[in-house]
Amino acid sequence: MFFKLYTLGCKVNQYETEYLREGLRRLGYIESDLGGVADIVFLNTCAVTAESEAKCRKLIRKLINENRGAEVIVFGCSVRHNADQFSRIDGISNVVAEKNWTAQFLRDRGLKELPSGISSFADRHRAYVKVQDGCRVGCSYCIIPKVRSVLQSRPLREILDEVRQLVRNGYREIVLTGIHLGHYGVDYGAACGADSLGSGCCRLYELVERIIGLDGDFRIRLSSLEAVEVSDALVDLMCRNPLRICPHLHLPMQSGSDEILTKMRRRWLSDEYVNCCQKIMAKIDRVALTTDIIVGFPSETDQQFEMTCDIVRKLKFSKIHVFRFSPRKGTEAAEFKNQIPQQIIHERGKFLTELAKKLRTEYAASLVGMNLPTLFETNQSGTTDRYITLKTNTKHEIGNLKNILIKNSKDDTIIGD
């Protein structure tokens, strides 16, 4: 039986596809190359924006045309949000709206022992490890709490076993990810702790502490966190273990205007966000702080946009993901009055993108003279612990972690030896 897997969306989606791949291989199924024949085709969908759902529909029609006669299965967030949009497409064999369908599917196909985790991550040199699912925050622009509302943290023992296996299989960077990573352990209650785990879990900094205590030559990177969820204990752990924990934190800001943040239903206002970032910057030398910002949120004025830019200049983010607001059907913000004209949204997005590019270039230059651990993804380029691309003139083994002296920088790339 030959299969193909396709994924749209976030790191959690990509992890869940890898788990399915793990199970299919245990069944003896063989992965077909992209141009080859497949008996069964899977698409893991994304619902984060209306555009992402449109991409899902377009891709599934393409896959049906390219794989005539194959069983086609569609699953994931977009299906859970609106299964009907896929049910109407001729050629789809199964539209799976259930969240935890993979285990039952593999059992039905004859797999007696389900994998407890993954042992590989496609053809990548870093592996994502999903430690948590679900979000209940309810930002007014976001559809995700409607399709992933149940908070669920994975047991510590299961995560540790998975990381051990990935490191044994040659992965030198493990990226911890979740829908709301900072809520790892929240569903187990305040009483949970690393010493009373068994099959339970702990809080995030305890999880990180246990992972970095494992044997092997590897580092971990944390994916997106709310700034206020970066505890003093976690920062102290990062300071004590600079080679084990990447000095890089992705802290979504979304806006620098308290008025807009309130309309977004964000739980923390700008001063608290800035204070958290400055506290981290004071403790970790040249920490890489990256962020998400939405421009053109309903009723955002020029002055409010400038407030965002002022904070960006103050915190000097090393990278910014700029999102131009578009109404997401099914969210509160889609119904707000005073929607911003597309031309203004485009102009603000362009301005902030240029500012972000300038700051990233400055950040790259600030790293000259440092020795940075680099994961090589080609013979002569890789990603540093601070999430900056590095290039060298000498060749290195792909997949290895090496300390590289930074000699120069060009735009947003650093050059090392």
Side-chain angles (χ1 to χ4, degrees):
M1 179 79 77
F2 289 90
F3 71 91
K4 290 181 182 179
L5 288 170
Y6 296 85
T7 311
L8 293 173
C10 66
K11 291 181 177 68
V12 170
N13 263 20
Q14 292 175 56
Y15 174 89
E16 290 171 349
T17 297
E18 287 305 316
Y19 181 85
L20 176 57
R21 177 181 277 115
E22 186 90 17
L24 294 171
R25 285 175 172 168
R26 288 195 184 189
L27 281 169
Y29 288 17
I30 300 168
E31 188 159 9
S32 174
D33 60 42
L34 295 182
V37 175
D39 302 296
I40 184 167
V41 178
F42 301 88
L43 174 62
N44 190 351
T45 60
C46 174
V48 71
T49 65
E51 288 78 9
S52 63
E53 288 201 325
K55 283 183 182 178
C56 292
R57 293 191 298 271
K58 183 178 179 180
L59 178 56
I60 199 63
R61 290 188 175 96
K62 180 174 181 284
L63 296 177
I64 290 168
N65 287 330
E66 291 176 350
N67 299 274
R68 295 289 182 182
E71 183 180 1
V72 178
I73 297 177
V74 186
F75 65 102
C77 291
S78 188
V79 176
R80 291 196 292 275
H81 175 239
N82 182 6
D84 287 347
Q85 64 180 318
F86 297 100
S87 299
R88 293 191 291 265
I89 299 175
D90 290 336
I92 296 180
S93 310
N94 198 356
V95 177
V96 186
E98 293 80 15
K99 184 176 183 299
N100 298 313
W101 71 281
T102 309
Q104 190 58 51
F105 171 85
L106 293 171
R107 287 193 190 98
D108 290 345
R109 296 285 166 135
L111 187 62
K112 293 181 180 178
E113 186 177 348
L114 293 173
S116 60
I118 62 173
S119 59
S120 63
F121 210 91
D123 57 353
R124 296 174 185 240
H125 302 290
R126 59 168 56 84
Y128 302 154
V129 170
K130 172 186 166 184
V131 302
Q132 182 276 343
D133 202 342
C135 179
R136 293 178 183 167
V137 173
C139 296
S140 65
Y141 51 82
C142 185
I143 199 72
I144 298 306
K146 292 190 177 182
V147 295
R148 290 185 183 265
S149 60
V150 178
L151 294 181
Q152 187 175 16
S153 301
R154 288 180 68 195
L156 173 68
R157 185 178 299 163
E158 188 175 291
I159 296 168
L160 295 179
D161 287 345
E162 183 172 70
V163 172
R164 283 191 194 97
Q165 184 62 53
L166 288 164
V167 172
R168 278 197 295 267
N169 289 346
Y171 292 88
R172 296 292 170 256
E173 181 173 310
I174 306 297
V175 183
L176 301 186
T177 189
I179 296 299
H180 193 135
L181 183 60
H183 277 177
Y184 178 78
V186 167
D187 46 312
Y188 278 75
C192 73
D195 295 330
S196 59
L197 289 172
S199 60
C201 77
C202 51
R203 294 310 299 268
L204 182 62
Y205 83 90
E206 295 171 305
L207 170 67
V208 173
E209 189 171 37
R210 294 292 292 270
I211 292 174
I212 64 174
L214 298 176
D215 293 334
D217 178 22
F218 73 99
R219 68 190 185 193
I220 69 168
R221 190 183 300 276
L222 298 170
S223 62
S224 183
L225 280 167
E226 296 292 352
V228 297
E229 293 169 353
V230 183
S231 65
D232 290 341
L234 180 57
V235 174
D236 290 342
L237 192 63
M238 294 175 72
C239 290
R240 295 196 305 272
N241 299 276
L243 299 180
R244 274 294 210 208
I245 310 170
C246 292
H248 165 221
L249 290 166
H250 186 78
L251 310 174
M253 181 172 81
Q254 309 302 9
S255 175
S257 160
D258 288 349
E259 218 176 324
I260 294 297
L261 288 169
T262 301
K263 290 178 181 177
M264 288 179 169
R265 295 200 183 280
R266 299 285 290 165
R267 292 183 295 167
W268 304 284
L269 300 181
S270 59
D271 281 351
E272 193 169 8
Y273 179 90
V274 170
N275 290 339
C276 288
C277 290
Q278 289 179 330
K279 216 159 72 168
I280 296 165
M281 293 162 68
K283 287 188 174 183
I284 304 176
D285 180 35
R286 282 169 279 192
V287 63
L289 294 184
T290 60
T291 195
D292 298 331
I293 293 175
I294 298 172
V295 299
F297 192 80
S299 79
E300 183 188 58
T301 64
D302 289 341
Q303 184 181 14
Q304 289 166 337
F305 174 66
E306 187 55 38
M307 289 176 181
T308 299
C309 295
D310 285 344
I311 292 178
V312 165
R313 295 184 188 99
K314 179 186 291 187
L315 296 178
K316 299 183 183 299
F317 294 108
S318 64
K319 189 171 185 178
I320 301 173
H321 294 145
V322 179
F323 294 92
R324 292 165 173 82
F325 177 81
S326 61
R328 182 67 178 94
K329 189 177 180 182
T331 65
E332 187 181 1
E335 306 301 322
F336 284 172
K337 296 178 180 179
N338 300 320
Q339 298 281 332
I340 306 299
Q342 283 301 309
Q343 180 61 31
I344 294 176
I345 293 175
H346 176 77
E347 289 170 0
R348 289 176 184 169
K350 183 179 178 182
F351 181 88
L352 186 57
T353 299
E354 288 300 315
L355 176 57
K357 185 178 177 182
K358 174 177 177 289
L359 293 175
R360 188 161 176 81
T361 298
E362 290 175 0
Y363 180 74
S366 77
L367 302 176
V368 172
M370 296 185 76
N371 274 293
L372 297 184
T374 302
L375 177 66
F376 279 87
E377 289 147 300
T378 74
N379 290 124
Q380 292 182 279
S381 68
T383 303
T384 66
D385 57 347
R386 286 165 168 80
Y387 208 57
I388 290 282
T389 299
L390 175 140
K391 293 184 178 179
T392 67
N393 292 322
T394 53
K395 291 190 176 182
H396 299 268
E397 188 175 343
I398 295 172
N400 271 11
L401 264 178
K402 300 277 267 186
N403 276 330
I404 304 294
L405 175 63
I406 310 307
K407 294 287 191 71
N408 205 345
S409 69
K410 183 178 180 182
D411 299 328
D412 62 351
T413 300
I414 50 180
I415 295 96
D417 196 6

